[in-house]
Amino acid sequence: AKALKGKLRLGVIVGDLATENDARRLQEAGLPTVQINTGSLCHLDAGMIFQALPKLPLDELDALIIENVGNLVCPADFDLGESLRVTLLSVAEGEDKPLKYPPVFHSAGAVVVAKTDLAAACGCDMERLRSNLRKIAHHARIFETSALSGEGMEAWAAYLQQACEENRQAFAPGSRG
């Protein structure tokens, strides 16, 4: 949100089993946000998104980010109508996750590896992680980031801006998108 402030107008739909903690933090950062609590469901579905959309100022947004329920198993199977699927992986989860949960990585157009500043402390072998990602998500753009230090955030923000512009052009009146 900070890296894109003044560059992209973002809105967010957040999915979690319970609490509104993520939504509250995003709202404090100035983003229009809708929280969906799924109770015991491990994913959002298109119906949930459809019900959340009227709660956002869609005409005032350049991009809508949908944070599906935070796990690496269920969300890969549910199409939410997204034009870009991004998988977020913290180094604290380990370098084996792309091999353990291939569908969510294989379906991603981009993978954001987060908390890279903690890799050594977590015992995450970054070279092995990169190798595992290349095996499973060979088509995806990979961004190594640290929100704490800011490392990689500029490249990630620039990529999102470019993806939004390409999407806007593809669906502009008179285009063939």
Side-chain angles (χ1 to χ4, degrees):
K2 291 175 186 174
L4 291 166
K5 189 169 185 142
K7 298 175 184 174
L8 276 181
R9 298 169 302 164
L10 302 173
V12 183
I13 296 174
V14 180
D16 283 308
L17 297 180
T19 81
E20 295 190 6
N21 295 344
D22 292 340
R24 189 178 61 252
R25 285 189 283 269
L26 291 163
Q27 289 165 344
E28 288 170 0
L31 299 179
T33 305
V34 174
Q35 176 72 51
I36 298 173
N37 291 116
T38 63
S40 61
L41 295 177
C42 64
H43 63 277
L44 297 177
D45 63 32
M48 294 172 187
I49 301 302
F50 184 75
Q51 289 180 339
L53 290 176
K55 300 174 185 174
L56 290 165
L58 297 176
D59 290 340
E60 300 170 18
L61 302 179
D62 297 315
L64 174 61
I65 296 172
I66 301 170
E67 181 205 20
N68 212 329
V69 177
N71 73 67
L72 296 173
V73 181
C74 296
D77 291 336
F78 293 87
D79 184 352
L80 301 178
E82 66 272 14
S83 58
L84 174 63
R85 183 171 285 200
V86 178
T87 298
L88 177 67
L89 173 67
S90 166
V91 299
E93 295 178 86
E95 68 272 351
D96 64 334
K97 293 307 178 271
L99 302 177
K100 287 180 74 172
Y101 306 107
V104 75
F105 291 95
H106 186 69
S107 68
V111 176
V112 176
V113 179
K115 303 180 183 181
T116 55
D117 52 304
L118 298 177
C122 294
C124 180
D125 180 334
M126 288 300 293
E127 197 50 49
R128 182 175 287 154
L129 174 59
R130 291 181 195 106
S131 174
N132 291 340
L133 283 169
R134 285 190 296 269
K135 287 177 190 171
I136 304 299
H138 48 84
H139 56 283
R141 289 281 308 268
I142 298 171
F143 298 89
E144 296 180 14
T145 66
S146 166
L148 186 63
S149 72
E151 174 192 353
M153 298 304 278
E154 193 171 304
W156 169 234
Y159 175 77
L160 282 178
Q161 283 182 270
Q162 177 188 351
C164 286
E165 182 57 32
E166 289 171 2
N167 192 57
R168 189 176 8 261
Q169 290 175 6
F171 292 97
S175 74
R176 295 182 182 202

